Amino acid sequence: MSVGDQIGARIREKRIQLRIRQSQLAKIVGVSPSYLNLIEHNRRRIGGKLLTDLAEALAIDVDLLSEDGKSSKVARLEEVAHYNKVDMQAESARELATRFPAWSSFLIDLDRNVRSLEAKIDALSDRLSHDPQLATSLHEVITTVTAIRATSSILSESDDIDPMWQRRFQRNISEDSLRLAEEAQALVDYLNADETEARTGTPHEEVEAFLHENDYHFEMIETETPDIDDILNISAIRSTAGRLLARNVLETYQMDATALPLASLIDDLPIQTGLSQLAQKHRCTIPQMMRRLACLPTETIGREFGMVSMDVTGSILFRKQIDGFHMPRFGSACAYWPIFQALQMPMRLLEDVVIHTGREGGTFHTYSYCEAIQDSIGRPPRLVGHMLFYPHVQEAAQATRVGATCRVCAIATCPSRREPSILGEEL
Amino acid sequence: MAKTVLLIEDEVNIIEALSFILSRDGWDVVTHSNGHDANEVITRREPDLVVLDVMLPGKSGFDILRDLRRDPRHQNRPVLMLTARGQSKDRDMAEQLGVSKFMTKPFSNSEVRNAVNELLSG
């Protein structure tokens, strides 16, 4: 059977969709995880029995893994159906793609647009609720409008105002209207920022975009001890605050990489044992092990990890998202995330399974831990919580249902709901 | 003797406009523009009504109100709270803290005048 260059990517996509670990799939089809990793990254050509076995293990028609456009369209239609929770058989997707190719393309494009808009709603909702810059800007606008309204009412509703007061109020309105124009323009510029700017609007977002571009992994730091400024200078981070935050992240990364070099983890790959045993074995702290696992390439450690760190106020200090586990940027996260339990029980490692109820959600295995950092003598320790998570493959007997944040959560009956959701009903 | 209204607000032009309309209604208006020492000013002035902004430099209107209600001398002193933050959680918090009336910006002059009249004639 002839094979194309993107088969590996399709295998990987399907495997992740089914939440099967790379090592599991490798075992099923009888190859090593590293060989499957090469296949998934299109570095090894594949065909014959192995392709058939993989298609069977992934419960997918072998043709759908091939290169032709029609099959690719069928796969996309299946994905559309899966995403929208429509029970569609593979055959009907194929029939749709064959008989109505234009409608199929339209459906696929529509789905792509819907997902893109949903992502924007999440981001904007998050921003409207919690972005301090936007909140301050809106407050300034409303305050200025109030001043203009109060002053202009006096002028328009009173005929007997002393000329001195009249001139004073006219001057105030003139000043305030100028101020309002500037504030409104600044607000419009802020809201009109294009997608890239919106993503990098605040220093935290700027740093996150930088980490995302690097897939949270810095090969240079793994292999040598570079000057952090050299890394920052070639990054797109422009704000002073963003550079400061990124420096903190990279310095912590450097310390973690020194304490726990990648080479020392090789024997444990792909990661199979529990977090606590792993940290004990390598004589490192649990947060160090969490950060290392979250920042090493998925293909190296055989599993994709997400992570969030926050202080006791709930402010998110670090966030690495993975598919299905959406997190807000500006705090106000779901009260049922296990990290909040951990923050109440410092130095205890908690292990839980949660079901994220977001539209693209899923089941996740989580480790949560709160460290107490003694910055200086005489002051209470600073508590920082960490939660590491990855897709949970096995059946979960008991799992807590969680969301991202109330505003975009569809669990209508949640007793911890802080505000109404913009989603009408549970999806 | 005219009753005293203490207006605690940091926006100068709002202070001028509100002072003007309330003075014209016959109230004795005194103003203060930061939150830091607002509670001391209230204790010293003993106004018949406090008109309090929420977002103030030094100390928020919520904190000022909370401290006010903890002080037996001010537990029943009428407080009209003005805020640009009109979310229900802010209103709920103000009510829990014991606000007499809560008003969101931008308000009309007649709304403020009516509220002041109502609170001072009670």
Side-chain angles (χ1 to χ4, degrees):
Chain A
M1 182 181 290
S2 68
V3 291
D5 288 341
Q6 295 305 313
I7 293 178
R10 293 202 189 93
I11 291 169
R12 178 178 163 76
E13 190 181 331
K14 188 68 185 170
R15 176 179 62 75
I16 290 171
Q17 191 185 42
L18 294 174
R19 309 225 184 273
I20 299 174
R21 291 200 306 269
Q22 199 175 45
S23 57
Q24 269 186 317
L25 183 60
K27 193 174 177 184
I28 292 168
V29 298
V31 297
S32 70
S34 57
Y35 187 70
L36 179 58
N37 188 47
L38 291 170
I39 290 172
E40 288 193 352
H41 287 83
N42 304 307
R43 290 184 194 154
R44 289 288 182 279
R45 290 176 69 79
I46 172 185
K49 184 174 182 308
L50 183 53
L51 182 62
T52 314
D53 289 348
L54 280 167
E56 192 179 329
L58 295 169
I60 188 171
D61 192 324
V62 72
D63 289 345
L64 296 179
L65 293 176
S66 71
E67 270 284 281
D68 77 277
K70 190 174 76 179
S71 292
S72 166
K73 190 177 280 183
V74 173
R76 288 285 294 123
L77 282 172
E78 283 188 330
E79 198 186 319
V80 171
H82 175 77
Y83 181 71
N84 291 285
K85 297 184 169 55
V86 176
D87 189 16
M88 182 189 273
Q89 301 299 317
E91 271 316 301
S92 55
R94 185 183 302 280
E95 192 182 343
L96 184 64
T98 311
R99 291 183 61 192
F100 305 104
W103 280 106
S104 300
S105 298
F106 173 70
L107 202 58
I108 290 165
D109 288 345
L110 199 63
D111 178 69
R112 192 179 296 124
N113 287 339
V114 167
R115 290 200 208 192
S116 161
L117 287 171
E118 282 178 348
K120 278 183 186 167
I121 287 173
D122 280 0
L124 286 173
S125 172
D126 200 18
R127 172 165 287 175
L128 280 170
S129 302
H130 307 293
D131 183 345
Q133 190 178 333
L134 184 59
T136 304
S137 187
L138 285 170
H139 180 266
E140 293 293 326
V141 167
I142 293 171
T143 300
T144 311
V145 166
T146 305
I148 291 174
R149 186 177 182 191
T151 313
S152 61
S153 291
I154 294 171
L155 289 175
S156 65
E157 292 164 8
S158 316
D159 299 324
D160 56 343
I161 305 175
D162 182 286
M164 187 274 290
W165 276 105
Q166 215 166 41
R167 282 195 298 278
R168 193 163 175 166
F169 285 143
Q170 282 166 346
R171 187 201 61 205
N172 286 357
I173 289 178
S174 171
E175 284 172 3
D176 281 337
S177 55
L178 191 64
R179 192 156 63 115
L180 180 63
E182 287 169 1
E183 286 163 356
Q185 186 58 53
L187 190 57
V188 168
D189 289 346
Y190 184 67
L191 293 172
N192 274 350
D194 68 23
E195 206 165 70
T196 309
E197 285 171 336
R199 204 155 38 85
T200 59
T202 66
H204 279 101
E205 287 170 316
E206 214 178 1
V207 174
E208 196 164 277
F210 160 68
L211 294 173
H212 186 72
E213 276 163 21
N214 287 281
D215 207 13
Y216 290 77
H217 180 68
F218 295 88
E219 194 60 38
M220 202 191 284
I221 300 180
E222 297 289 341
T223 53
E224 49 194 284
T225 313
D227 188 336
I228 298 295
D229 278 327
D230 291 342
I231 301 176
L232 292 176
N233 288 341
I234 57 170
S235 77
I237 301 174
R238 292 290 166 265
S239 73
T240 308
R243 283 179 71 93
L244 187 71
L245 292 170
R247 172 180 291 284
N248 289 342
V249 172
L250 293 177
E251 283 176 351
T252 304
Y253 189 112
Q254 204 161 38
M255 282 190 284
D256 291 345
T258 305
L260 199 56
L262 179 56
S264 70
L265 277 169
I266 291 293
D267 288 344
D268 296 305
L269 300 179
I271 300 292
Q272 298 287 357
T273 55
L275 190 71
S276 183
Q277 297 94 306
L278 211 54
Q280 275 174 13
K281 179 182 172 187
H282 291 275
R283 296 181 181 182
C284 67
T285 66
I286 286 173
Q288 259 177 339
M289 182 57 80
M290 285 178 159
R291 287 191 295 264
R292 284 303 272 159
L293 294 178
C295 292
L296 292 176
T298 306
E299 56 268 28
T300 305
I301 55 175
R303 182 177 279 167
E304 189 177 25
F305 288 97
M307 186 171 170
V308 60
S309 299
M310 58 174 64
D311 63 21
V312 283
T313 69
S315 299
I316 292 178
L317 310 172
F318 175 85
R319 178 179 77 153
K320 184 196 174 195
Q321 305 209 71
I322 58 174
D323 286 348
F325 202 111
H326 177 66
M327 298 185 262
R329 169 67 269 178
F330 301 103
S332 292
C334 172
Y336 287 113
W337 285 6
I339 189 172
F340 292 113
Q341 280 178 285
L343 277 163
Q344 295 172 50
M345 292 182 272
M347 320 303 275
R348 272 185 62 183
L349 181 65
L350 306 181
E351 197 172 350
D352 296 276
V353 176
V354 299
I355 297 171
H356 197 296
T357 56
R359 182 137 194 175
E360 288 182 275
T363 307
F364 295 87
H365 197 107
T366 66
Y367 288 107
S368 305
Y369 185 79
C370 170
E371 60 177 331
I373 304 166
Q374 191 72 55
D375 292 312
S376 57
I377 298 167
R379 298 188 67 176
R382 182 164 52 91
L383 301 180
V384 178
H386 307 277
M387 182 167 77
L388 184 79
F389 48 90
Y390 60 90
H392 185 79
V393 182
Q394 288 88 20
E395 192 73 25
Q398 278 194 320
T400 308
R401 296 172 81 222
V402 302
T405 182
C406 292
R407 200 154 172 77
V408 290
C409 177
I411 306 175
T413 55
C414 177
S416 282
R417 178 168 288 289
R418 293 181 290 257
E419 59 179 324
S421 171
I422 57 170
L423 305 175
E425 55 188 37
E426 190 153 355
L427 296 168
Chain B
M1 190 175 162
K3 288 187 175 175
T4 309
V5 177
L6 173 59
L7 171 60
I8 306 176
E9 162 71 62
D10 64 329
E11 176 54 46
V12 178
N13 292 351
I14 293 180
I15 291 176
E16 283 199 352
L18 291 184
S19 297
F20 183 85
I21 58 167
L22 295 177
S23 300
R24 211 168 50 169
D25 280 350
W27 310 117
D28 184 11
V29 182
V30 285
T31 64
H32 190 67
S33 58
N34 77 72
H36 181 67
D37 56 350
N39 288 84
E40 288 79 3
V41 172
I42 295 168
T43 299
R44 195 171 67 246
R45 294 274 189 179
E46 294 190 334
D48 297 291
L49 169 69
V50 179
V51 179
L52 182 61
D53 187 23
V54 170
M55 301 277 272
L56 288 165
K59 189 174 179 181
S60 83
F62 290 130
D63 291 335
I64 293 167
L65 180 59
R66 183 182 293 111
D67 290 346
L68 211 57
R69 293 303 186 225
R70 284 177 182 158
D71 186 336
R73 291 170 295 179
H74 304 301
Q75 275 173 357
N76 298 315
R77 194 175 300 283
V79 175
L80 166 61
M81 194 165 243
L82 307 175
T83 178
R85 295 159 38 143
Q87 291 177 324
S88 57
K89 64 181 178 185
D90 292 322
R91 185 181 291 271
D92 291 346
M93 179 182 280
E95 282 171 2
Q96 279 171 18
L97 292 173
V99 75
S100 312
K101 201 165 182 65
F102 185 88
M103 197 172 276
T104 53
K105 296 176 180 176
F107 41 73
S108 72
N109 290 352
S110 57
E111 283 173 323
V112 177
R113 291 172 63 201
N114 290 342
V116 170
N117 275 326
E118 184 190 323
L119 291 169
L120 286 177
S121 61

